[in-house]
Amino acid sequence: MNKNKRKQWRVFGLIFPSLFWLVVFFAIPLILVLAMSFGERGTYGGVIWNFNLENFARFFDFSDPLYLRIFGRTLYIAAITTLVSFLIGYPMAFWIASQPEKRRNSLLMMLMLPFWTNFLVRTYAWILILRDQGVINTIWAGHFHNAVVWLVAVLPGLPLDWLVQATSNPLPLFGTNLAIIIGLTYGWLPDMVLPCYAAIERFDGSLVEAAQDLYANRVQAFFRVIFPLTLPGVVAGSILVFIPSLGAYVTPDLLGGAKSVMIGNIIYSQFMSARDYPFGAAISFVLMALMLAGTLFYFRFTVAGQKGEPGHD
Amino acid sequence: MPDEFAVELINVAKQFDQVVAVDNVSLQIRDGEFFSLLGPSGCGKTTTLRMIGGFEMPTSGNVLIGGEIQGFKPPFQRPVNTVFQSYALFPHMTIFDNVAFGLQMKKVSKSEIKQRVNEMLELVQLSDVGRRKPNQLSGGQQQRIALARALINKPKVLLLDEPLGALDLKLRKAMQLELKALQQRVGITFIYVTHDQEEALTMSDRIAVMNQGKVLHLDTPEEIYEHPANRFVADFIGETNFMEGKVSQLNEERVFVAVDDQVPVPLLPTRDVQLGQVVTVAVRPEKLSVSAEKKREVDIPGTIDEVIYIGTDIRYIVRITEKTTLAVREQNRGGLSAQRFSIGDHIHIGWYARNASLLTE
Ligand SMILES: Nc1ncnc2c1ncn2[C@@H]1O[C@H](COP(=O)(O)OP(=O)(O)OP(=O)(O)O)[C@@H](O)[C@H]1O
Ligand SMILES: [Mg+2]
């Protein structure tokens, strides 16, 4: 018994640091924010702790859906980002997994390499690419435009007036939803590629042979066997992209404009400029609830998926 | 004429980088035959099978199925199906969907699929597992489903790569018989890869014994066992005593080999041998008998080195020269005859000349 007690203490001693970390830096702030979300903004920005649901009512106000609209846009941008990441990331993961073993690691390394640079710096780089005087528009509205104008001047009969028109103004990239989606996709793509890669790499190739043996061509083998069995990786990747996209703040702040504000920016402004802590806390909680739902869905899915995995022989 | 054969390999070779996995193999497999590829690990059995299935393409040579040259046809265009060693059942599908897969790909109607799958499940005696997932079945059951999944397509030829390898001994024995019976019932040509010689002997109509990418002997189980073509085959299949010697005497009826230059052993003159040629005499332990005095045509005196009691048999290790000992296996018939001799006894070993083989390679 004595021995058991000592063992318990040792286990406790081992988990104490992480437990401490979790409580101090996670649980306590979380409870504070939750409590705050039921409070009311004080005249000078403090919190009045009178329990009410005003903040949530303000957020879910259907007669004036200002915040709901932003929330909807946030969901939309995050969803498109996830979809685009999947459409780029899955084939990329597939391609990497099909390379010889030595090359795979260096390819994965190259995928991670940009992450040695600060996220802010990389996002700034996208400003330089997307803005009106940026790389894309210098080519589009500059060189390409000039080339078309020159071509029309040399060969007057050419029906290219519409192209002259189209290229006379820079493409509206910067400050749009598109810019945010590009920035987010760029930022979270590795989080899609890595779980997909893990699933594809682990995939048992003899199953494809079996499918081909049973008259499935390559396309059928992919959709009937490979894709369903690597789906857990896709779901994991999607959640890893979707959740941070939902909470994105830096990317919409730098690449977006007034019409593409996301929920993260609203939370920021409630805390930092409006000084309405309780409302900011309430929005944070709605967002968090959504992320939690997504994560639970994922665990549900993977646990359900495991039922079908091959038994060990 | 060529379509007499279900499968024909003509000078087929396969090279991976530096490794020659299959080395100029030619064989003809008859329609409805249970044909085994037998050999030690790494001898190229799987590679040969995979070239028939279309999973590997030969470096040179031709694979014919039903008289048709297969060339670079992918697996889904070949009239063969495969039972994989690890079964490769689709883990995310039910047993029903697994078995139905081939028919679904061939766009067979739903009602026909249902009927045929149920028939097939009945054939492998697993009628009520259709709704389960593969990991809810035992190894033996998975094996049968893999078989059903392949057979339902009514292939011309079924390829099986060590399909019983993952099963325990008892189940394996039972499945061997079941598989053989099933093959006879459906009448499909089976090409069966195994490294288990006993399995090959029990099940096959004919066996190709392979080593290092080459077919060393192709014949019926009995011929291969009784008259192995060379030393490797004699050694690989069953147990064999080898005696080295030179041909010392040749006549119409007998060849004599002087084992270790001392003991003359008579053999049937079956091969082209010359006087003085160095050869090997091979004879199976169960063909030998031990007695106190000369009893058989071939008779060699010896001394008992060891007596091993194995229950069903008694094994004597008998020294006939400085260098050579022979293993003798006598059935344990009980009674007075059991364990008649003991270590150090001077005895005679006897056998019939037709039971020994003369090997030149
Ligand atoms: N994809 C490959 N790449 C390189 N070498 C290979 C490949 N497949 C097989 N080999 C080599 O070819 C030879 C024959 O292999 P194969 O798998 O046909 O042997 P096997 O007779 O089936 O052996 P086992 O009984 O162990 O399954 C081996 O030396 C093996 O290492
Ligand atoms: Mg093999």
Side-chain angles (χ1 to χ4, degrees), chain B residues 16 19 21 40-47 56 162 195:
Chain B
F16 295 106
V19 191
S41 185
C43 72
K45 310 179 292 287
T46 296
T47 309
E56 305 284 359
E162 309 213 17
H195 63 254

Side-chain angles (χ1 to χ4, degrees), chain A residues 16-95:
Chain A
F16 181 75
S18 50
L19 199 67
F20 178 82
W21 192 90
L22 265 177
V23 168
V24 171
F25 295 105
F26 186 73
I28 292 180
L30 204 65
I31 291 165
L32 259 172
V33 173
L34 181 64
M36 211 184 273
S37 70
F38 294 109
E40 190 184 311
R41 178 180 188 262
T43 327
Y44 304 106
V47 180
I48 301 168
W49 302 93
N50 62 340
F51 182 86
N52 69 70
L53 293 171
E54 266 311 300
N55 296 313
F56 293 96
R58 190 170 149 204
F59 186 84
F60 289 106
D61 185 353
F62 289 97
S63 58
D64 176 20
L66 171 68
Y67 297 107
L68 280 179
R69 206 171 285 147
I70 295 171
F71 196 56
R73 177 193 300 141
T74 305
L75 282 175
Y76 166 78
I77 289 177
I80 298 289
T81 300
T82 308
L83 182 69
V84 175
S85 303
F86 163 70
L87 291 178
I88 299 173
Y90 190 86
M92 198 190 247
F94 210 97
W95 179 72

Side-chain angles (χ1 to χ4, degrees), chain A residues 2 12 34 59 61 67 87 89 97 104 126 129 153 199 209 242 267 304 312:
Chain A
N2 214 340
F12 182 75
L34 181 64
F59 186 84
D61 185 353
Y67 297 107
L87 291 178
R104 276 186 241 161
W126 275 106
I129 295 170
E209 293 193 341
F242 186 72
I267 296 173
H312 23 236

